[in-house]
Structure formats: C-alpha cells, structure tokens
Amino acid sequence: MKLSHRVADLKPSVGFELLNIANQMKEQGEDVVSLAIGELQWKTYLPIRRAGQKAIEEGYTKYSPSAGQKALRKKLAQQASQQFSIPFDCENVFISNGCKYVLYVLFQSLCDKGDEVLLPAPYWMSYPPLINFSGASLKVVPTQAEQSFKITPEELEKNINHNTKVFLLNSPNNPTSVIYTQKELKALGEILKRYPHVITVVDSIYDRLVFEGKYAPHLLNVQPDLRDRILAVSGASKNYLMTGWRLGWLFGPKELVKVFSSFQSQTVSCANSIVQRAFEQSFEECEEDIKEIIQKLIKSRNILLEKLDRVSSLKLFPSEGAFYLWLGVKAFIGKKYKGRILHSSKDIMEELLKDKKLLCICGEEFGMPGYIRLSYVAEEDAIKKAAVRLQEFFSEI
C-alpha cells in the first residue's frame, strides 16, 4: 500500500515513544525514572475534576458550537482582556481539542506551498511536522547559548523575506524554559511592524507556570498595535494539569476565528463539550493550586541543579518557568562511557536509559544537538533518584 507523501517519512512523537518505553520497563519490574515527557504527575485540580463529573450528570454531552461554547469563550476573553490590557470578546476566541490541534488548524488555514514559517531553534518537537503538513517550508533559525537561546531582532529581520508567512515564538520555551522579557519582546515587535505580511503565532502554553509574577510577559502586552497580526495560543494541559482532557484555545482577529471554526466544523466538529463546561465552571477556583504546583517545581528544579552543579564540564542553563532543565553536554561528546564512544547527545540519551534506567530527550529532537532536556515533573523522591543517577553517569564518562 502506497502512503501519502505527508506520512511517508513521519516519525511518531518521541515523547510518547519514550512514555511507552517507560511504562513497559515499569511493567517488567525495572526501577526506571522518566524525565522525558512534559506531563506533571499530579492529578488535575479538584475543582475541575468535580466540575467534569457534574457536567456529565447535567447532560453537557452534546455537540458544542465549532468555535467553542460561548460561556467559556466569554470567560477566556475576559481573562485575556485583563492579562493583555486589550479588550477581547468571545468572537476573538477559538477553542479546540488541545493546543496541538489549535496549531494544526491555524497552519492548515494560513499556509500554502511556497510559504515559509520562521522557527527559532531549539523548538518543541511537534512544530516541524505540524508546519510540514500545511505544505509550508520550515525555516529554522538557530539561537545561541550566549543569547540564552532567544532569537534576536537582528536574526529575525535577517531571515524574513517575501515568502515569510508566519513567525512562531514559544515563551516560556520548550525545551529551554527561558522566558522572553518585555524589553526583548518589544524589540522583536519593532521588527515585525516593518513586515505587515508576517503573522506572529505566540505559543504560551506554560504562561502560568512561571517562577516570578503571575503571567509570563507576552508580545501583546508590549505591542498591542500588532494584535491584528498576532495569534496567541494557549491551553489547559500544563497550567491546569489537564493533558488528557485535551483543551486548547487561541485569541486572534475575529475574521480568522471564523475561518478556524469552519475548518474545525469539517474535521473534528468541536472541542469536547464536557471538558469545556468543566473548565468554564472551575478554572478560576484553581489559583492556590497553581501556586502550590509552582513551589513543587521550584523545589524539583533546585534538587537537580544542586547535584548537577557538581559535575564539571556540564553546562546548566537557567530554568525560569515551565518545568524543563536544558543541559549542555558537548564536552562529553567524543569521550567513552563503559567502552562506547559517545558520538552525540543522542548516544548520551541512549546510555542513560540503558545503564541508569533514566529517560530524557536529546537535543537532536529539538533541532539542536549537543544538549539534553530533563522534564522535572515527577514526585520528589523520583527527582532525587534521578539527580543521583545523572551525577553518577556524567562522573563516570
């Protein structure tokens, strides 16, 4: 059977592959610690769980409008108006089954063959296939450690041309956990003002999981006059521990929201009605839960940093939000570990799994070899165990 060109070379998500490996190893009785997938290990917050049960009992199990339930769109619009200090109403809000599908819809709706999407590296692993599905070309812009892995205004302008359709910005960033400051965002916005044909997609799925302030800075905060060319994407998976519930949204111009809604009506029809109702009824009750999770993440981050700081030649980069630690391992490439030459960060990832029963993800998957990403989302005991194993591993190279 001949497959379509869209899937002929498509790889499954590395994160989900590693999750399956971790589950299989645990089933076989192995003491595996997974710092691979970006999923907090605690239950969804209690108010949301209860609201979900109530939504089922009350019969919120039918189709909802393709753009999303109006009550939730109104609440999200109110929240966005406060967060960005810009008036939004429900017609500026599009809701779908997770942030990933929101991105799929917008790329399918905006991009054609011949268009280019600018993407700073390192980047989230799913961005390239989502962009490639649309027929657009991916133009990767490598960032530098000296610039905290952030694209500079000069690099942005140098890479824009007449084919550039979308600039995709992710802050707080996966995999580095760095956050663009208001000053940095304003400088990028000044460049974008010169190119009215470029639409900016800002993925801020981790915007509440920040270690200073209530929200991460956003391009809309500092460049509100660009609002007609900004699509602000977010979702419930990370901030509200709702990965399996699948709920994502975007804020954008009303005419584009209508287009996205039409696309959704012909594909998945609508977002899950039960989930929308549960979230609408309860997300505002979760402020203390979010604060508690942030404190747990800070503690886990610090456990890893304290151990790994003792490993010479290992580069540690600040983790300012989300729940990732980005490690530079270039100094270990070319050296031996138990007889095997480590030719890449992928080799390091494989040896950590094989010998230390620890899962992480190598930089190759994020478009930047020479690094590995740790996702510090496990319980404290598992984080402590991981820290010891990592320190042992790098010390033995």
Side-chain angles (χ1 to χ4, degrees):
M1 183 182 295
K2 185 178 180 180
L3 298 174
S4 74
H5 69 277
R6 287 179 296 278
V7 300
D9 298 318
L10 181 66
K11 298 189 304 180
S13 166
V14 172
F16 281 96
E17 275 195 309
L18 291 171
L19 178 62
N20 291 334
I21 290 171
N23 290 335
Q24 290 170 8
M25 292 173 71
K26 288 176 182 177
E27 288 172 4
Q28 294 166 3
E30 297 196 56
D31 183 19
V32 61
V33 178
S34 178
L35 301 187
I37 198 165
E39 180 177 47
L40 292 159
Q41 297 304 297
W42 301 284
K43 290 181 180 179
T44 303
Y45 304 137
L46 182 60
I48 297 172
R49 302 202 311 267
R50 286 178 172 167
Q53 294 169 346
K54 185 180 178 183
I56 294 171
E57 294 301 324
E58 291 180 346
Y60 285 87
T61 56
K62 308 298 183 183
Y63 290 125
S64 67
S66 57
Q69 291 175 357
K70 193 168 184 178
L72 178 55
R73 294 171 75 197
K74 279 185 175 180
K75 278 202 171 182
L76 290 173
Q78 291 168 0
Q79 183 190 60
S81 299
Q82 296 171 359
Q83 180 180 352
F84 304 129
S85 300
I86 302 172
F88 284 92
D89 62 39
C90 68
E91 294 181 353
N92 294 114
V93 184
F94 169 70
I95 297 171
S96 191
N97 294 295
C99 183
K100 190 181 290 187
Y101 195 73
V102 170
L103 290 165
Y104 176 79
V105 170
L106 71 85
F107 284 124
Q108 291 293 319
S109 302
L110 294 175
C111 296
D112 278 315
K113 189 174 182 180
D115 292 331
E116 281 188 356
V117 177
L118 291 186
L119 178 62
Y123 48 72
W124 178 45
M125 298 173 290
S126 289
Y127 289 146
L130 288 170
I131 293 163
N132 292 335
F133 281 147
S134 72
S137 299
L138 177 62
K139 189 172 186 181
V140 175
V141 184
T143 59
Q144 307 301 318
E146 295 75 19
Q147 301 294 336
S148 299
F149 304 101
K150 299 176 184 178
I151 189 171
T152 65
E154 295 77 17
E155 290 167 335
L156 174 60
E157 185 158 39
K158 184 172 66 176
N159 284 280
I160 292 176
N161 59 52
H162 66 280
N163 292 322
T164 306
K165 188 66 176 284
V166 173
F167 167 51
L168 177 53
L169 184 69
N170 175 213
S171 177
N173 180 264
N174 176 6
T176 64
S177 278
V178 299
I179 298 174
Y180 284 77
T181 65
Q182 286 193 341
K183 182 179 178 180
E184 289 164 342
L185 291 169
K186 188 169 181 61
L188 293 175
E190 292 302 319
I191 300 299
L192 293 167
K193 286 180 182 178
R194 302 174 193 170
Y195 301 94
H197 65 289
V198 177
I199 297 167
T200 300
V201 175
V202 181
D203 180 355
S204 55
I205 186 73
Y206 303 95
D207 64 350
R208 296 299 312 276
L209 299 179
V210 294
F211 304 148
E212 288 187 18
K214 183 175 181 179
Y215 292 99
H218 198 283
L219 188 59
L220 282 171
N221 292 127
V222 294
Q223 297 287 5
D225 47 343
L226 285 173
R227 67 171 292 174
D228 290 338
R229 292 196 282 122
I230 293 175
L231 295 173
V233 177
S234 192
S237 289
K238 311 299 182 178
N239 297 333
Y240 296 92
L241 282 61
M242 294 177 67
T243 48
W245 295 63
R246 310 312 303 137
L247 184 65
W249 56 81
L250 67 75
F251 306 106
K254 296 178 181 180
E255 59 272 21
L256 286 181
V257 167
K258 288 180 181 178
V259 172
F260 302 152
S261 302
S262 295
F263 185 97
Q264 176 148 279
S265 73
Q266 297 288 9
T267 52
V268 297
S269 299
C270 61
N272 185 297
S273 299
I274 300 163
V275 173
Q276 290 184 74
R277 177 65 174 176
F279 193 67
E280 175 253 319
Q281 289 286 297
S282 55
F283 77 92
E284 293 172 319
E285 301 174 37
C286 300
E287 290 302 309
E288 292 305 314
D289 294 292
I290 293 173
K291 291 177 183 177
E292 182 179 340
I293 287 296
I294 289 171
Q295 292 307 309
K296 288 183 177 181
L297 291 175
I298 291 173
K299 189 172 185 180
S300 294
R301 178 199 64 178
N302 291 344
I303 290 169
L304 286 171
L305 288 175
E306 183 182 0
K307 273 289 187 196
L308 297 178
D309 190 47
R310 303 171 191 173
V311 180
S312 60
S313 302
L314 186 66
K315 298 291 184 182
L316 306 179
F317 297 97
S319 179
E320 301 169 339
F323 37 68
Y324 303 112
L325 195 57
W326 188 237
L327 303 181
V329 296
K330 292 180 181 179
F332 300 94
I333 294 173
K335 296 185 177 181
K336 283 186 178 181
Y337 179 77
K338 296 191 174 179
R340 178 185 179 181
I341 297 176
L342 301 172
H343 294 288
S344 64
S345 48
K346 185 177 181 181
D347 288 349
I348 290 174
M349 176 186 76
E350 291 174 351
E351 287 300 316
L352 275 166
L353 175 58
K354 176 185 172 184
D355 197 60
K356 298 298 183 184
K357 304 294 184 286
L358 187 137
L359 278 76
C360 61
I361 302 182
C362 60
E364 284 85 345
E365 300 297 334
F366 304 103
M368 188 162 283
Y371 298 85
I372 61 172
R373 189 197 77 174
L374 308 177
S375 180
Y376 50 87
V377 292
E379 294 284 357
E380 185 177 334
D381 287 346
I383 294 294
K384 289 178 177 178
K385 191 180 293 184
V388 171
R389 294 181 187 185
L390 285 160
Q391 185 186 37
E392 288 175 353
F393 175 80
F394 287 111
S395 300
E396 291 167 3
I397 292 176

